[in-house]
Amino acid sequence: SKFPGLHRVMEAIPYPGASWNEVITTMPSFSHLHWSFLFAILSVLLQIFCFILTKIFAPLLIGYTSTPPLPKRMKLNKKCYIALGEACNYNKMIDIKKYDLNELSTKYTNNKLSTKEIEKYFKFCNKHHLEIIKNEKRFQESLFPVFTKAFTLSFGIYAVYDKDWLYNRSLFYKGWPNNQGLDTQIADIKLLYIVHIGWYIYKLFAQTFLDRHLKDFMASLVHHATTIVLMSLSYTYGVVRVGTAVLLLHDPADIILQSSKFFRLIHQQLLMNIGFACLVISWFITRIVIFPYHCSLSAIIDFYDQHGGIDRETDIIIAFCVTLTGALYILHLHWFWLIIQAVLRSVSGKGTADPRSDTDEDDSDKNEPDKSKKYNSR
């Protein structure tokens, strides 16, 4: 291992089931994957940390306060609106139904504002707070994958960058299953697998119950579930070389995508455009070209050239894994088409938006005003 200290820490964790020492010193087994739930729990803790960072830095970087800005059309009666807002605590959502608008008009505006004007102002304040909630969600949803994927990509690259099999697909299955010569790096590969499976378990839960349901909600759920099954099978049957290559090919585009979304959120147009251009290139190279040629075809061609016909069970498992990688590739093509559409929108002058899932199912950004102008007008 290139990270002996990290594995010593893992060995010291009193986790139920197979110990970490057993995990890294025995052949890959499905029973090892219970460690993934530990990293799912750690993902929850990291998500809480991202939530704290969001509360601290989002107002500064996005540019908003809890106090709603007063629109120009309302500034003629500025004092009246401010008095109303302070009386009803406009620093949070206002429950309009619990107030007598006629009484508010008399008490705080000396009847200068009608009940319709007061109701309209309260709705404006609530819309401001809904926008804050939405943008804080976006902020947090961008931070979490950037932190986690940056770690797993850095860890994975350093662990195996100097291995010949990473660049030569014909070596993925050499010596499989028991003589692959992975003694010096198998501990790091196992940790990489288990961390990723734990991450996807958490994301499957979070995307279902915690995160916003975006336009690609179902596609993302299928992607996460397929990835968990594929990685579990790959680990259990010891096909970890090609699995490691798949993991390293997928992380870069995710980091660039989420970074670009983050730059868009904090109004860094130049960085967003650079990130978007890098996303187009990285997605095409890693997921559209290299992934099918280097990984999917290796299972179809190289595995069967070297090990085909061993037994029916193995043939079925490999065929099933190939089917799952095909499903992932279809999703990659779907998302890449969304990227191309975003490129066309940008070239036509309609602006650059998140190519995968920037908008909620019931709230399209293209029908909303530019929120950055609203925040910067305060």
Side-chain angles (χ1 to χ4, degrees):
S1 169
K2 294 181 179 178
F3 305 91
L6 183 56
H7 291 289
R8 282 195 291 270
V9 172
M10 295 291 294
E11 289 175 0
I13 298 176
Y15 198 65
S19 68
W20 187 251
N21 182 67
E22 180 181 340
V23 169
I24 63 178
T25 57
T26 59
M27 290 294 295
S29 168
F30 185 78
S31 63
H32 297 169
L33 298 182
H34 75 292
W35 278 88
S36 300
F37 291 98
L38 172 64
F39 288 97
I41 295 171
L42 291 177
S43 294
V44 174
L45 298 179
L46 181 57
Q47 187 76 75
I48 294 173
F49 176 68
C50 290
F51 173 80
I52 295 171
L53 290 180
T54 297
K55 290 297 182 181
I56 296 173
F57 294 106
L60 176 64
L61 294 176
I62 299 177
Y64 64 83
T65 65
S66 60
T67 302
L70 197 63
K72 291 181 180 179
R73 66 181 181 275
M74 296 182 181
K75 288 186 178 179
L76 292 176
N77 294 299
K78 181 178 179 180
K79 292 183 179 180
C80 294
Y81 284 114
I82 292 177
L84 276 173
E86 291 176 347
C88 299
N89 193 8
Y90 62 176
N91 289 321
K92 62 181 183 180
M93 296 288 290
I94 300 172
D95 185 357
I96 301 175
K97 292 182 179 179
K98 80 173 187 178
Y99 291 103
D100 184 332
L101 300 186
N102 287 309
E103 181 181 343
L104 291 176
S105 177
T106 302
K107 186 174 181 180
Y108 296 103
T109 75
N110 199 23
N111 293 318
K112 291 181 180 179
L113 298 179
S114 67
T115 56
K116 286 187 177 181
E117 288 175 314
I118 294 174
E119 183 179 9
K120 188 174 183 180
Y121 175 61
F122 284 170
K123 287 181 177 179
F124 170 82
C125 293
N126 286 344
K127 185 177 180 182
H128 172 80
H129 291 298
L130 287 173
E131 192 62 32
I132 288 177
I133 293 170
K134 184 187 297 184
N135 281 330
E136 286 186 348
K137 268 286 188 181
R138 289 170 173 163
F139 194 97
Q140 186 177 340
E141 288 170 6
S142 295
L143 280 185
F144 177 74
V146 168
F147 286 163
T148 53
K149 292 290 187 176
F151 167 76
T152 56
L153 180 62
S154 301
F155 179 92
I157 289 176
Y158 184 70
V160 300
Y161 76 92
D162 54 350
K163 307 304 175 185
D164 292 339
W165 54 261
L166 185 63
Y167 311 99
N168 184 351
R169 76 178 198 192
S170 66
L171 299 178
F172 282 156
Y173 308 101
K174 184 179 180 181
W176 179 86
N178 299 321
N179 298 300
Q180 299 185 66
L182 295 175
D183 293 345
T184 58
Q185 71 263 28
I186 189 60
D188 296 336
I189 290 176
K190 286 181 175 181
L191 181 57
L192 186 67
Y193 258 79
I194 288 171
V195 168
H196 270 91
I197 293 174
W199 189 88
Y200 279 109
I201 289 172
Y202 168 72
K203 284 302 293 181
L204 194 62
F205 169 81
Q207 199 141 17
T208 304
F209 301 106
L210 302 178
D211 294 345
R212 296 172 299 138
H213 285 191
L214 306 172
K215 285 187 174 181
D216 69 345
F217 170 70
M218 287 306 301
S220 294
L221 287 187
V222 171
H223 175 272
H224 296 343
T226 301
T227 301
I228 291 171
V229 174
L230 186 59
M231 290 183 65
S232 299
L233 288 173
S234 171
Y235 183 91
T236 301
Y237 285 86
V239 190
V240 294
R241 285 172 170 170
V242 64
T244 301
V246 170
L247 293 177
L248 296 182
L249 283 173
H250 279 66
D251 283 352
D254 283 337
I255 295 171
I256 296 171
L257 170 64
Q258 297 300 334
S259 297
S260 300
K261 291 169 68 173
F262 182 78
F263 291 138
R264 178 173 184 248
L265 191 59
I266 64 174
H267 318 303
Q268 297 297 320
Q269 188 71 24
L270 177 60
L271 293 176
M272 185 201 72
N273 288 337
I274 293 173
F276 184 74
C278 292
L279 173 64
V280 174
I281 296 169
S282 66
W283 196 286
F284 179 76
I285 293 175
T286 59
R287 300 196 180 199
I288 305 301
V289 177
I290 298 179
F291 170 64
Y293 174 78
H294 197 60
C295 300
S296 297
L297 285 181
S298 70
I300 299 173
I301 298 174
D302 301 312
F303 180 84
Y304 282 102
D305 282 348
Q306 298 174 31
H307 306 287
I310 293 179
D311 58 67
R312 181 175 175 79
E313 180 185 351
T314 301
D315 289 346
I316 291 174
I317 292 298
I318 294 300
F320 185 58
C321 288
V322 170
T323 302
L324 292 180
T325 59
L328 290 180
Y329 189 62
I330 291 173
L331 290 173
H332 295 338
L333 290 173
H334 164 69
W335 280 317
F336 188 66
W337 171 240
L338 297 182
I339 292 174
I340 296 302
Q341 288 181 317
V343 170
L344 296 176
R345 285 198 303 270
S346 180
V347 171
S348 64
K350 296 181 180 179
T352 303
D354 176 0
R356 282 177 62 184
S357 56
D358 181 68
T359 57
D360 295 325
E361 290 176 339
D362 58 350
D363 186 16
S364 175
D365 279 354
K366 66 183 180 181
N367 294 325
E368 295 179 358
D370 185 354
K371 301 301 186 299
S372 64
K373 293 181 180 179
K374 182 178 76 173
Y375 289 136
N376 293 331
S377 65
R378 59 183 174 85

